[in-house]
Amino acid sequence: MQIEKLDLRKTKNMRDMGGYPAEGGKKIKCGKLVRCGRLSKLPPETVEALEKMDIRNIIDMRTNREIAEHPPTILKGAAYHYIILPATAQPELTTSRHMSTEMYVQSKRVKRDFGTPENYMREMYRFIAFNPECQKKLKAVLDIIINAEGCTVFHCNSGTDRTGIVAMLLESVLGVDRQLIVEDYMASKTFQRRRRYWQKFGLFFSPIRLRFKRLLYAQMLPKPQYIIDLMDEIEAQYGSVTEYVKNALGVTEEQIKILKDKYLE
């Protein structure tokens, strides 16, 4: 199917998950689950459009530093939930006051500990999925969505990694085909192509070492193998993503039924 970006000025990587085919010939309801990047410095026309979408819950998974650098634009009628998930395999990198310095130090460790920046990104995904503290936060995100009414928006900074993992969990439980889950994940690359071009252009001329640039490039660009490898590992350990959601995150059968009843049609 064609995955469409919501065309609202100054929003990043925003899309309604409605219409995605799900289990039993059903599909995800439109206007209920929206994923995106940060919602900051939104112009009045975008705020007006979003407020008409009956958004009642906004789940912000960014770190405190990310929020401080790009404070959210407040929408009327929406409850804000701040549930911090790490943006790197080493959580202190996104909570330190000296993030760029620590990122540089960490970039020197990539070859030693992970081999490649891509392996580093895979470890970041594994950390979010399997670290006990992160699992508690993923459960908190799902609890809000299960109990929500109206439209729920969930996002991180770019709407790719942390948001992509949560979207994968939701889509898997709702019975979305694995191929479409990967296509939805990779749509983040398509929707941010122009922005990433200019970011890479700036990095190319930036006076920083190549290994640091390679780490930043890896964090900028989603690759299908990141989410595929994570799903493969979850399935190897738990049998399925749904069983992971039940046994690792503690979501009950009753909650899963509520989720399906609420978001499928």
Side-chain angles (χ1 to χ4, degrees), residues 18-19 54 98 101 114-115 121 126 128 134 160 175 199 222:
D54 192 29
H98 304 287
T101 300
F114 303 101
M121 292 300 295
R126 289 189 70 261
I128 292 174
C134 290
T160 302
Q199 286 178 327

Side-chain angles (χ1 to χ4, degrees), residues 77-146:
Y80 283 74
H81 310 271
Y82 299 97
I83 302 176
I84 296 173
L85 282 172
T88 68
Q90 300 292 326
E92 68 272 12
L93 295 184
T94 50
T95 56
S96 168
R97 294 178 59 191
H98 304 287
M99 179 179 173
S100 61
T101 300
E102 293 188 24
M103 285 270 306
Y104 172 70
V105 172
Q106 180 64 14
S107 70
K108 295 195 294 185
R109 300 175 186 164
V110 168
K111 185 174 180 59
R112 183 192 71 199
D113 294 343
F114 303 101
T116 66
E118 288 74 23
N119 287 340
Y120 177 86
M121 292 300 295
R122 290 185 180 95
E123 181 59 26
M124 182 189 84
Y125 279 48
R126 289 189 70 261
F127 185 88
I128 292 174
F130 296 109
N131 175 271
E133 290 303 312
C134 290
Q135 289 178 344
K136 292 177 184 177
K137 293 175 180 181
L138 290 172
K139 172 62 158 53
V141 170
L142 294 181
D143 281 344
I144 292 168
I145 293 171
I146 289 166

Side-chain angles (χ1 to χ4, degrees), residues 15-59:
R15 54 194 180 274
D16 187 341
M17 295 164 64
Y20 291 13
E23 69 176 18
K26 295 184 178 181
K27 61 184 179 181
I28 299 177
K29 294 179 182 177
C30 292
K32 294 294 184 181
L33 293 170
V34 173
R35 56 173 293 180
C36 62
R38 64 176 182 259
L39 296 170
S40 304
K41 298 181 180 179
L42 301 180
E45 63 267 29
T46 297
V47 171
E48 182 180 358
L50 291 173
E51 289 178 346
K52 290 179 179 178
M53 290 171 56
D54 192 29
I55 297 172
R56 303 193 198 177
N57 291 279
I58 296 177
I59 304 170

Side-chain angles (χ1 to χ4, degrees), residues 220-233:
M220 283 180 188
L221 299 175
K223 294 186 176 181
Q225 211 58 44
Y226 297 161
I227 202 72
I228 290 171
D229 286 354
L230 180 61
M231 288 190 287
D232 285 346
E233 184 159 356

